[in-house]
Amino acid sequence: MPRDEKAPKRAMSAYHFFAAEKRASVKAETPGITSSEIQKALTAKWRELNYDQRAKYMELASEDKKRYE
């Protein structure tokens, strides 16, 4: 079944908002880094965040979920 091009994009998770915000800084810190290495670094940084630090991204994800619904 083909995807409906007019359908809204799926809601992003809190991690995806975090990764989108931090990707450029991780890339700048280590020039020449591969995409998979960037992803590993972002995942490690995400795991280091406590609940209060993640709250900003969880709020963005909640708003995006409302948009999707």
Side-chain angles (χ1 to χ4, degrees), residues 10-59:
R10 298 278 319 231
M12 287 175 47
S13 69
Y15 171 76
H16 285 111
F17 279 106
F18 169 79
E21 181 179 295
K22 301 294 182 182
R23 185 177 311 280
S25 64
V26 169
K27 200 172 185 179
E29 289 172 5
T30 50
I33 192 171
T34 65
S35 294
S36 62
E37 291 170 336
I38 291 172
Q39 195 63 37
K40 287 177 186 177
L42 288 169
T43 300
K45 287 180 182 274
W46 176 254
R47 288 182 179 153
E48 292 173 359
L49 297 180
N50 63 32
Y51 183 82
D52 292 334
Q53 294 168 320
R54 289 183 184 191
K56 168 186 166 184
Y57 304 106
M58 292 185 325
E59 179 63 30

